[in-house]
Amino acid sequence: MGMVNNAAMQFVDRAFLAKHSMAAFESVLPACTLSWVFVGFFQSIVAYSGVFVAQYHGARNPRMCAASHRAATMIAFASGALLLCLLPVANWILFKTAPSQELLEMERTYCGICMAGGVFVCAQMSAASYFTGRGRTAIVFWVNLLGNVLNIVLDPFLIFGWCGLPRLGIAGAAYATVFSMAVQWIALSVAAARQIRRDKDGEATEPLHRLIWRILRYGVPSGAYSILGMLSFTVFVFVTEKVGDVAFSASNAVFTVNYLLYAPMEGFAIGAQTLVGQARGRGDNRRALVSARRTVLLAAGIAVFFAVATLVLCRPILHLFAPSDPAALGQFMSLGFKLFLLMGCWLVLDAVDTVLCGALRGAGDTKFVMWWMTLCAFGVWLPLVWVVSAFRFTMPMLWSTTVVYVLVLFVGSYARWRLGGWRKIKLV
């Protein structure tokens, strides 16, 4: 539910920006995606502390759970400083890829604000992972809900300049998001500090600097998995930007809906990661297998339901993002329906692969997850995108390549889990 909540916030953000101007709506996806390539790398490293918390929780050592949280917080603040150093690189990429000067300025504005505020995203994740690893996901959800409601409330005031405030447009959406993450970090950090004071059991089994090193050792491949996946997706988004304005708007609209539907699968992946991590901390491989299998079945069933529901409701959904020009409306709606069909195909496969990768990360098998995704993204998907763009450059054909990509991903992740190499990895 927390992941759905995050996706709903982005959905509302983009719906507001679509009403503000189509240029702002077209700019937000590439800018958001690129900023997430950088922020997501560091956030994923910090988030991997949750696996250490889960395994120490399974081993009944609350003191080392607290130490994992402290180590993750230190990594989060170092990440914020590095993100500021990487901002010129992001601006250079946008300069090379933006189709017009107007879109370039908007993309730079949104991306810059999100990267500068990335320290709050990473710090919030360090506190959230402490509770998630212990299985206390409810508190994370409620704090997340509070922050995202605040974001949505701030959006119209900052985007449209309500109540005499400056009309900030796309910058207003970015500021609202960063402020929301800062509020969530403060609330979860206070709750984590109170919980740590109450926990007196367990023993310190290693110094903090060694724990930081081990989180980085396993977390960097997890972060690389995120950044390389987002990088390949960013390349794909920039390619779709060249198809045409109406086609790109339809693609952005369906991608926005796709993230809303895919977000619960990320939540189930965290659930599988936590349950497998706790079972591995207890040395219970049978429970790890059962937890992963049940989570995969649950996620697949929900993904099938979502895919069918979007096809039934595609017209009213597309009207939320439809252009006002009657001449472009028909093309937008027709193309949107075709993209929804393709989205439904890959959503189910992507859901199963995402949960399997979560289970593998919970067991510490982060290197395989990283290398397999890298091989599939850059050895299968992007070459297919290049072939399509060279010989049949249409949006449906570009989207068809994603179905092939996630199918190959799923086959490899399933084989790795069944072969059981993860049983040999010992984190704690």
Side-chain angles (χ1 to χ4, degrees):
M1 290 299 294
M3 293 298 173
V4 173
N5 176 31
N6 288 337
M9 179 198 71
Q10 290 201 20
F11 185 92
V12 173
D13 269 4
R14 294 175 189 182
F16 276 130
L17 288 173
K19 299 303 179 186
H20 177 262
S21 73
M22 287 308 294
F25 178 60
E26 290 177 16
S27 300
V28 69
L29 181 61
C32 180
T33 304
L34 183 61
S35 68
W36 194 247
V37 167
F38 295 99
V39 177
F41 172 68
F42 296 106
Q43 189 202 37
S44 297
I45 294 173
V46 173
Y48 201 74
S49 65
V51 175
F52 282 81
V53 173
Q55 293 216 9
Y56 280 122
H57 183 72
R60 296 180 176 84
N61 192 341
R63 184 171 295 182
M64 287 306 296
C65 291
S68 299
H69 167 58
R70 286 194 294 272
T73 302
M74 295 176 68
I75 295 171
F77 282 103
S79 300
L82 289 171
L83 282 168
L84 291 176
C85 297
L86 290 168
L87 188 53
V89 179
N91 286 333
W92 179 82
I93 294 172
L94 292 173
F95 174 75
K96 291 295 185 180
T97 56
S100 69
Q101 185 64 33
E102 181 188 16
L103 294 186
L104 171 63
E105 293 303 320
M106 291 187 178
E107 290 173 3
R108 278 183 168 177
T109 297
Y110 188 93
C111 184
I113 295 169
C114 288
M115 286 184 64
V119 62
F120 298 116
V121 177
C122 295
Q124 185 265 1
M125 182 55 68
S126 70
S129 297
Y130 172 72
F131 289 108
T132 301
R134 295 167 65 99
R136 295 183 57 192
T137 54
I139 185 173
V140 179
F141 166 73
W142 288 112
V143 171
N144 184 246
L145 180 63
L146 169 68
N148 288 346
V149 167
L150 177 63
N151 185 348
I152 291 171
V153 170
L154 286 174
D155 269 342
F157 288 92
L158 298 179
I159 293 173
F160 303 115
W162 285 8
C163 298
L165 292 174
R167 184 182 174 91
L168 299 177
I170 196 170
Y175 282 127
T177 299
V178 169
F179 185 74
S180 162
M181 297 307 299
V183 170
Q184 292 179 51
W185 164 57
I186 292 170
L188 285 170
S189 295
V190 170
R194 293 179 60 187
Q195 180 63 48
I196 289 169
R197 283 197 299 269
R198 288 196 293 264
D199 285 336
K200 304 296 183 183
D201 298 331
E203 59 179 338
T205 56
E206 63 182 320
L208 190 62
H209 70 274
R210 286 188 58 192
L211 184 56
I212 291 174
W213 165 248
R214 290 206 300 123
I215 291 175
L216 290 173
R217 177 186 170 190
Y218 290 96
V220 167
S222 181
Y225 165 81
S226 297
I227 191 174
L228 291 171
M230 287 302 299
L231 182 61
S232 61
F233 178 72
T234 302
V235 172
F236 180 76
V237 169
F238 286 147
V239 171
T240 62
E241 198 173 26
K242 308 297 183 182
V243 177
D245 289 343
V246 176
F248 187 54
S249 294
S251 180
N252 278 2
V254 180
F255 268 134
T256 301
V257 176
N258 175 70
Y259 180 62
L260 185 65
L261 303 181
Y262 174 74
M265 310 312 156
E266 293 180 325
F268 288 124
I270 293 173
Q273 174 179 292
T274 302
L275 292 171
V276 169
Q278 291 179 351
R280 289 288 294 149
R282 294 191 299 269
D284 189 350
N285 287 334
R286 188 192 68 82
R287 175 53 56 184
L289 287 166
V290 170
S291 298
R293 182 175 67 249
R294 291 177 177 174
T295 313
V296 164
L297 292 173
L298 180 62
I302 292 175
V304 169
F305 172 78
F306 283 165
V308 174
T310 52
L311 289 176
V312 174
L313 300 172
C314 70
R315 290 193 66 83
I317 293 172
L318 287 171
H319 270 295
L320 293 173
F321 305 94
S324 55
D325 180 12
L329 180 61
Q331 181 186 351
F332 180 90
M333 299 298 289
S334 174
L335 180 58
F337 177 75
K338 295 176 184 176
L339 299 185
F340 268 129
L341 281 172
L342 292 167
M343 184 199 75
C345 294
W346 97 56
L347 180 64
V348 178
L349 292 170
D350 209 12
V352 176
D353 176 71
T354 299
V355 172
L356 285 171
C357 287
L360 288 167
R361 289 196 303 270
D365 200 1
T366 55
K367 289 184 180 179
F368 168 80
V369 171
M370 177 193 70
W371 287 116
W372 179 242
M373 189 282 303
T374 302
L375 176 63
C376 292
F378 295 93
V380 177
W381 187 27
L382 293 185
L384 276 176
V385 171
W386 179 82
V387 170
V388 169
S389 62
F391 295 100
R392 194 171 179 184
F393 195 38
T394 65
M395 195 65 78
M397 285 300 297
L398 285 173
W399 275 52
S400 298
T401 63
T402 61
V403 179
V404 178
Y405 169 52
V406 295
L407 176 61
V408 176
L409 269 178
F410 157 69
V411 171
S413 300
Y414 179 75
R416 178 70 172 187
W417 179 256
R418 291 296 299 173
L419 291 172
W422 49 270
R423 291 184 176 92
K424 302 174 183 177
I425 300 171
K426 189 172 180 62
L427 287 186
V428 304

